[in-house]
Amino acid sequence: MTTQPQSPVKVTPALPNRRNAELLLLGFAALITTIALLLVEANQEQGLRWDLAQYTVAYLALFAGAHLAVRRFAPYADPLLLPVVALLNGLGLVMIHRLDLATGEPTARGLGGTANQQMLWTLVGVIGFSLVVVFLSDHRLLSRYGYVCGLTGLILLLIPAILPRSMSEQNGAKIWIRLPGFSIQPAEFSKILLLIFFAAVLVSKRSLFTSAGKHVLGMDLPRPRDLAPLLAAWIASIGVMIFEKDLGTSLLLYASFLVLVYIATERFSWVVLGLTLFAVGSVAAYFVFDHVRVRVETWRDPFADPDGAGYQMVQSLFSFATGGIFGTGLGNGQPGTVPAASTDFITAAVGEELGLVGLAAVLLLYTIVVIRGMRTAIAVRDSFGKLLAAGLAATLGIQLFIVVGGVTKLIPLTGLTTPWMSYGGSSLVANYLLLAILVRISHNARRPLEGRSLPPGPIAAASTEVIEKV
């Protein structure tokens, strides 16, 4: 009796989760940040002190904790997202410390002054990042609370407008909620909540956005009765521009909505109609409201009033001219001559001391985050995740364009901050929460198919396509 040889059992190898690569890149980010800090201290003749090592150790421990949270609860997440953001955050801390030294902060030794406060906000932001990674087990759970997120986001946008100026206004813009010992910029968190709302609505109301009306100039225009969501977004953005004098948030939220609608429908007609409405509202605001007209006139010719309204822009342009191609070197420039250099104009400080090459490298880091976010949107298999990841990545790209465009006089100045680099607790914490959601989506997109399950609810039955073509 002969026995048939048994075929060997095929074992599918486990997919690599790239966490070791992430850890290595985090170490590289810490090395670059430490070298940058030492260069600033040496060029400012502060001396090399052992207390600087405390901040390096704190930086390493903080992001090591974030890495452990990702390794344990999102092991298949994109390995580039956290290290690139850690490097941007570290360079921002170094530059803020450099500006503390330039402006003569009384506690500027070590990492005192605003840099020390920014380090504390970094701690809060990374803790928030870790909590979202740990407790948000599946990004699709957010779709259940789409309308709640939308209502909360609108309320957060509305609160500064109805508060008295003493509690909400700074530098002419009503964008703050100021309480004794505490202040917050709610629009930073509102953008995330509204993106969740936009993505949930575009998935659940897909027929509303894909229904075609008249065919004009090669485009399928939407039916007039289907324009309500676009009109609502337009009214909200114009309201923010008028009542809160916040051009940056108005443009950011509206542009993000149009990008999501275009990604969902692949119909350029929505973008054309949206931009037309925004152009009409902006032109009307220019003639009706003084603060809009001043921003535009300053953008057109800042040298018309170099000691008044155009002073900030003039100093920014001088900083870029001083930096040239390779910059003056960390600690060797005069970035303190630019007002609000640590917040709205931190890219001007980077351009002066690192030059065009250094600024291009920083912008390339942001480009990596945006591209990896879009790659996550392509890879994830559910409609809500696709739109949300694309919206988060697009919002970062749009915000960076608005910031750099304003600082370099490409577009009118809007007052937005540079994500993860500019000084400000609200911006830093909100962008870390945004990053955590993107990390969670990338984990879902990259992990093996075996064992996956959809959470109960309407989203479980949704098509894996973003929007079906009609």
Side-chain angles (χ1 to χ4, degrees):
M1 180 177 181
T2 61
T3 58
Q4 295 293 333
Q6 296 181 353
S7 59
V9 178
K10 294 182 178 180
V11 179
T12 303
L15 294 177
N17 57 31
R18 308 299 299 276
R19 297 279 63 82
N20 291 334
E22 179 183 84
L23 183 60
L24 181 63
L25 290 173
L26 281 172
F28 181 72
L31 177 63
I32 296 297
T33 300
T34 303
I35 292 174
L37 178 60
L38 294 177
L39 286 174
V40 168
E41 293 292 306
N43 289 329
Q44 285 289 300
E45 299 181 354
Q46 296 294 308
L48 303 180
R49 304 177 307 279
W50 282 108
D51 59 352
L52 294 176
Q54 300 175 6
Y55 297 99
T56 302
V57 172
Y59 177 90
L60 282 170
L62 195 58
F63 285 100
H67 165 74
L68 291 176
V70 175
R71 179 182 285 270
R72 171 63 180 84
F73 295 95
Y76 293 99
D78 193 310
L80 290 180
L81 292 175
L82 183 60
V84 170
V85 168
L87 179 55
L88 290 171
N89 195 171
L91 293 177
L93 283 166
V94 172
M95 189 56 64
I96 292 170
H97 172 58
R98 164 71 184 97
L99 291 166
D100 283 347
L101 297 174
T103 55
E105 286 282 345
T107 57
R109 293 187 66 82
L111 275 189
T114 54
N116 196 42
Q117 298 176 29
Q118 185 75 346
M119 190 69 182
L120 293 176
W121 283 119
T122 301
L123 172 63
V124 175
V126 173
I127 291 175
F129 167 88
S130 302
L131 290 176
V132 172
V133 170
V134 171
F135 292 104
L136 182 62
S137 59
D138 196 311
H139 66 272
R140 290 167 289 186
L141 297 172
L142 295 174
S143 65
R144 301 177 184 175
Y145 307 100
Y147 288 94
V148 174
C149 290
L151 179 61
T152 305
L154 290 176
I155 292 174
L156 289 176
L157 279 180
L158 178 63
I159 291 176
I162 62 178
L163 288 176
R165 291 185 176 181
S166 60
M167 297 179 62
S168 62
E169 186 170 333
Q170 181 176 342
N171 297 327
K174 289 172 62 66
I175 58 177
W176 292 92
I177 299 176
R178 296 188 179 278
L179 300 173
F182 178 76
S183 62
I184 185 173
Q185 193 172 346
E188 294 289 345
F189 301 93
S190 179
K191 69 180 181 183
I192 302 176
L193 295 171
L194 290 177
L195 281 173
I196 296 172
F197 169 69
F198 293 156
V201 169
L202 285 169
V203 170
S204 61
K205 305 292 183 183
R206 62 181 63 192
S207 60
L208 180 68
F209 292 90
T210 55
S211 299
K214 294 183 179 180
H215 189 78
V216 179
L217 298 177
M219 297 183 297
D220 292 324
L221 298 178
R223 297 173 300 183
R225 65 175 180 269
D226 296 333
L227 293 176
L230 178 62
L231 292 175
W234 176 71
I235 292 172
S237 65
I238 296 299
V240 171
M241 182 190 301
I242 294 173
F243 296 107
E244 299 186 1
K245 303 178 183 179
D246 190 0
L247 305 181
T249 300
S250 173
L251 179 58
L252 177 63
L253 294 178
Y254 191 68
S256 300
F257 173 75
L258 290 182
V259 168
L260 276 182
V261 172
Y262 177 71
I263 292 174
T265 63
E266 298 183 10
R267 288 186 174 174
F268 195 65
S269 58
W270 283 100
V271 179
V272 173
L273 288 173
L275 293 179
T276 301
L277 286 173
F278 192 81
V280 170
S282 300
V283 171
Y286 173 83
F287 289 103
V288 175
F289 300 102
D290 292 337
H291 67 275
V292 176
R293 186 161 52 252
V294 169
R295 287 287 182 94
V296 175
E297 294 299 332
T298 302
W299 165 61
R300 292 177 59 187
D301 186 11
F303 291 93
D305 187 12
D307 296 322
Y311 179 77
Q312 193 176 35
M313 179 55 65
V314 168
Q315 293 301 317
S316 175
L317 295 177
F318 282 151
S319 292
F320 284 117
T322 302
I325 301 297
F326 297 104
T328 60
L330 282 171
N332 287 329
Q334 295 181 327
T337 59
V338 183
S342 62
T343 53
D344 300 355
F345 279 77
I346 197 168
T347 50
V350 173
E352 179 178 354
E353 300 210 335
L354 297 182
L356 177 62
V357 173
L359 182 59
V362 170
L363 296 180
L364 183 60
L365 292 175
Y366 282 105
T367 304
I368 292 173
V369 177
V370 174
I371 290 176
R372 302 298 285 198
M374 288 297 183
R375 181 176 177 179
T376 296
I378 294 172
V380 74
R381 293 165 177 81
D382 66 284
S383 305
F384 176 74
K386 286 180 179 293
L387 287 178
L388 184 57
L392 295 174
T395 296
L396 288 174
I398 293 169
Q399 182 168 346
L400 188 66
F401 170 77
I402 294 173
V403 171
V404 178
V407 171
T408 57
K409 197 179 167 295
L410 179 64
I411 61 175
L413 190 64
T414 59
L416 289 178
T417 57
T418 308
W420 298 297
M421 289 192 70
S422 294
Y423 172 73
S426 299
S427 173
L428 191 60
V429 174
N431 283 306
Y432 267 113
L433 297 180
L434 183 153
L435 177 67
I437 298 174
L438 199 55
V439 165
R440 257 298 168 191
I441 299 174
S442 70
H443 166 72
N444 190 280
R446 295 163 60 94
R447 66 175 174 168
L449 286 171
E450 295 181 9
R452 289 195 184 188
S453 61
L454 293 174
I459 196 67
S463 168
T464 56
E465 297 296 328
V466 177
I467 293 291
E468 295 178 354
K469 294 184 180 180
V470 178

